[in-house]
Amino acid sequence: MTQRNGISGTSDRILHSEASKIFQQANGIDHEKIQEADDCELEERGQEGGRRVSVAVTGAVEAPDGGWGWMVLVATILVLALTLAFPSCVGIFYTDLQNEFHATNSETSWVPSIMTSALHAGGPFCSMLVEKLGCRATIMLGGVLSGLGMAASSFTQSITELYITAGVITGLGFCFSFQPAVTILGHYFVRRRVFANAMSSTGTALGLCALPVLGNYLHTEYGWRGSFLILGAVLLNCCVCGAVMRPLQPKRHRGQPLMNHGPPPPDENSESKKKGRVRTIWSSMLAFLSKHMAFNQFCNNLRYRVYSIGITWTMLGFVVPLVYLVPYATANDMEPSQAAYLLSILGIVNIVVRPPFGIVFNMPWFKGRHVYVFSAALLVNGLSNSICCIGPSFHVLLAYVVIYGLSMSVVGSLMFTVLMDVVEMSCFPSALGLLAVMESVTLLIGPPLAGILVDRTGHYFHVFFACSAVVASSAVFLMVSFCWLDKKERKALNQVKPPTAPDPAAPTIDIVPGCQYSSVSTEGDKDKASANGAEYITSV
């Protein structure tokens, strides 16, 4: 009887939801700004003899596309400025850390490399926290972790302790903050989502511009320990930004969190008891890996396999110049303030260039050519590292950071656009999750390998030569591989569909040879596609 009453109440709610939709249609409410009920599912549970009945009730949440969404956009920009750009300013304290702990270049470079690696590798775990806690709580948790990690770093007595505090704890905190921030931004903006994402991507450039100046001032006034303590307090502002990002639909009863898409999981208590605890844990682990790690795409999709291998190889030398630029300049008698300004100029170039590049590359002419533009920019980025070997003067390094910043802006704008081109949108979150984990490996070992090279040779310019070779070779690999794949695909299409003689009775239609049917995505299709799952978004 209780179960019947529960189902009857659920039916009333469904009828009420349908009546609301009819009312919205009658009043001309824009349904392009209405998101599906993934964000506000409710569970009605009736119990009879210990058995639970779960019914998902669908509703609708209206995306503001403005209003409080602008505050969420500003908070997202600040989160990206505090998290993604932070590892690059650690180079300001590089020499002090070496002298304090009597460490080699290789040992000291593990600090920013572990931080960057944890920032990328924690993506799947961050997604799990978002599903359990929601975006707001996860962002605030990340702010607490990163703040405590940097504050604890100021009290460390060995380089190993610094690996744990500044590397692992702070890096995971960064991961837990920036990913949910960009994800919830996509739920606040639907019609203006492209503009919102383009504006949020300037947060990384803003951090590259401001954090080196702040770090250099703190280093001059308080030393590296006092600077780390103050920077830890600054990172706690991620908690404030997370508090601003309120859910669109507050949770009622035991509703699903904001980012829990799809129907609620089936009740498998009886089946779990039969399988046993160990088998249940194993099956849960496999389900987690299949959801957040696209191993099937890596094995079956050749384009994704080539792209992920190329990007993984790229990251071995892509961020290393940012770590060693300041030590290279100061080792050649440049003032620390001037060396810090080089990173700020790099950030300014990214702020100015990224939004226009995003608009230009969204034009129809670039459709299908994104990977070649991306590879060309990556080639320029790699070759630009050789400029540092001309000399350590300020003007030479200034020319270097401008060229590096321009190519870096193109690479950052197109990296995930190319990934969307090579995999289906429904597989994008898991494909990006696997790519982030693969990147974290080379991001982890890149700076230490460069440190070994400096220790063996005694000169920093060898690092820039090595980075130039690594990044340029990965660009050539991507360009040649995708050119070969495109040629192979065109040849296969021509062989599968040979030309046939036209029917004289039928009217003639001019068809471009070799042209196959292809759907052209509209703005609404992109919004629907991006709502299929939680987004993993990072920035370069």
Side-chain angles (χ1 to χ4, degrees):
M1 188 67 180
T2 304
Q3 181 179 354
R4 184 178 303 173
N5 293 335
I7 296 176
S8 176
T10 301
S11 302
D12 293 339
R13 287 178 174 83
I14 294 175
L15 291 175
H16 177 72
S17 177
E18 295 296 328
S20 299
K21 292 180 181 178
I22 295 174
F23 175 77
Q24 292 170 357
Q25 292 175 354
N27 286 275
I29 296 178
D30 187 7
H31 284 274
E32 291 182 356
K33 296 171 60 177
I34 302 296
Q35 294 182 344
E36 296 180 357
D38 300 327
D39 298 341
C40 59
E41 289 182 351
L42 299 178
E43 287 186 353
E44 297 294 331
R45 293 182 172 90
Q47 295 186 356
E48 182 179 10
R51 180 173 177 267
R52 297 189 303 175
V53 179
S54 298
V55 180
V57 181
T58 59
V61 176
E62 182 178 356
D65 267 310
W68 190 256
W70 298 119
M71 295 296 296
V72 175
L73 175 59
V74 173
T76 302
I77 293 174
L78 293 177
V79 168
L80 295 185
L82 291 173
T83 56
L84 292 180
F86 193 90
S88 299
C89 75
V90 177
I92 296 173
F93 311 99
Y94 192 89
T95 304
D96 283 358
L97 296 178
Q98 273 187 301
N99 297 332
E100 177 73 21
F101 300 113
H102 306 286
T104 63
N105 285 280
S106 177
E107 292 172 341
T108 308
S109 61
W110 278 104
V111 177
S113 67
I114 293 175
M115 183 185 296
T116 308
S117 179
L119 193 154
H120 287 79
F125 303 102
C126 179
S127 177
M128 182 175 61
L129 285 176
V130 167
E131 290 183 352
K132 298 296 182 182
L133 304 177
C135 287
R136 172 190 264 179
T138 306
I139 294 170
M140 298 176 74
L141 174 62
V144 172
L145 278 179
S146 58
L148 290 179
M150 285 305 296
S153 299
S154 63
F155 300 100
T156 54
Q157 299 300 321
S158 67
I159 194 71
T160 305
E161 295 175 0
L162 202 62
Y163 294 159
I164 299 173
T165 55
V168 177
I169 298 177
T170 305
L172 285 178
F174 289 161
C175 178
F176 295 163
S177 290
F178 91 89
Q179 181 178 306
V182 182
T183 301
I184 196 173
L185 181 67
H187 286 260
Y188 266 90
F189 291 90
V190 174
R191 185 165 49 87
R192 297 172 177 169
R193 182 174 294 169
V194 175
F195 172 77
N197 287 335
M199 290 301 299
S200 66
S201 67
T202 61
T204 306
L206 180 64
L208 283 174
C209 180
L211 287 178
V213 178
L214 176 62
N216 183 65
Y217 171 77
L218 294 176
H219 175 258
T220 304
E221 296 292 331
Y222 305 102
W224 76 269
R225 291 188 182 273
S227 300
F228 278 21
L229 185 62
I230 297 175
L231 288 174
V234 172
L235 291 175
L236 289 176
N237 285 284
C238 291
C239 299
V240 180
C241 297
V244 171
M245 300 176 185
R246 62 190 182 196
L248 288 175
Q249 177 68 27
K251 293 188 289 185
R252 293 176 291 177
H253 305 295
R254 295 174 64 97
Q256 298 294 326
L258 173 67
M259 291 308 301
N260 188 10
H261 293 274
D267 189 5
E268 298 179 350
N269 287 339
S270 59
E271 183 179 356
S272 299
K273 292 179 181 179
K274 295 179 182 178
K275 289 182 177 180
R277 184 179 300 273
V278 177
R279 192 173 179 182
T280 303
I281 294 175
W282 177 250
S283 60
S284 301
M285 186 180 300
L286 290 178
F288 175 82
L289 291 176
S290 63
K291 181 177 182 180
H292 301 289
M293 309 278 279
F295 289 111
N296 58 335
Q297 286 286 322
F298 186 82
C299 297
N300 301 324
N301 189 336
L302 184 57
R303 289 177 175 269
Y304 174 68
R305 192 187 315 162
V306 168
Y307 185 67
S308 57
I309 292 174
I311 294 299
T312 303
W313 178 248
T314 299
M315 290 304 163
L316 185 64
F318 187 77
V319 299
V320 171
L322 299 179
V323 176
Y324 284 94
L325 178 61
V326 174
Y328 173 59
T330 55
N332 289 276
D333 300 327
M334 183 181 292
E335 291 293 331
S337 58
Q338 281 188 317
Y341 284 142
L342 291 174
L343 290 178
S344 299
I345 294 171
L346 178 64
I348 293 173
V349 172
N350 277 265
I351 291 176
V352 174
V353 169
R354 282 203 183 197
F357 277 177
I359 296 174
V360 170
F361 295 141
N362 199 35
M363 296 173 62
W365 186 87
F366 288 96
K367 185 178 178 61
R369 298 181 174 92
H370 291 144
V371 66
Y372 298 108
V373 178
F374 173 82
S375 302
L378 201 61
L379 181 62
V380 174
N381 184 272
L383 295 178
S384 67
N385 292 316
S386 302
I387 299 177
C388 292
C389 304
I390 298 176
S393 65
F394 180 79
H395 294 90
V396 172
L397 296 182
L398 177 61
Y400 163 69
V401 296
V402 170
I403 298 175
Y404 184 92
L406 289 173
S407 58
M408 179 185 180
S409 300
V410 179
V411 172
S413 300
L414 292 179
M415 178 174 290
F416 301 106
T417 302
V418 176
L419 181 60
M420 293 177 187
D421 292 340
V422 299
V423 299
E424 296 180 0
M425 197 62 200
S426 58
C427 303
F428 178 75
S430 58
L432 184 55
L434 178 60
L435 180 60
V437 173
M438 293 174 64
E439 287 177 353
S440 66
V441 177
T442 49
L443 286 170
L444 177 66
I445 65 177
L449 290 177
I452 294 175
L453 186 60
V454 174
D455 292 333
R456 295 284 181 87
T457 61
H459 298 285
Y460 282 99
F461 69 87
H462 292 96
V463 171
F464 295 93
F465 264 133
C467 293
S468 179
V470 169
V471 177
S473 62
S474 65
V476 173
F477 168 75
L478 287 173
M479 193 177 298
V480 173
S481 298
F482 275 91
C483 183
W484 176 74
L485 288 173
D486 288 339
K487 183 181 295 186
K488 182 180 178 181
E489 184 176 340
R490 287 194 298 266
K491 185 177 180 181
L493 289 175
N494 292 332
Q495 291 178 352
V496 168
K497 191 174 182 179
T500 57
D503 187 1
T508 59
I509 301 176
D510 294 334
I511 300 178
V512 181
C515 193
Q516 301 291 327
Y517 171 79
S518 62
S519 62
V520 179
S521 59
T522 62
E523 198 67 24
D525 295 332
K526 295 178 181 177
D527 295 341
K528 293 178 182 178
S530 61
N532 287 336
E535 300 178 6
Y536 295 81
I537 300 179
T538 61
S539 180
V540 177

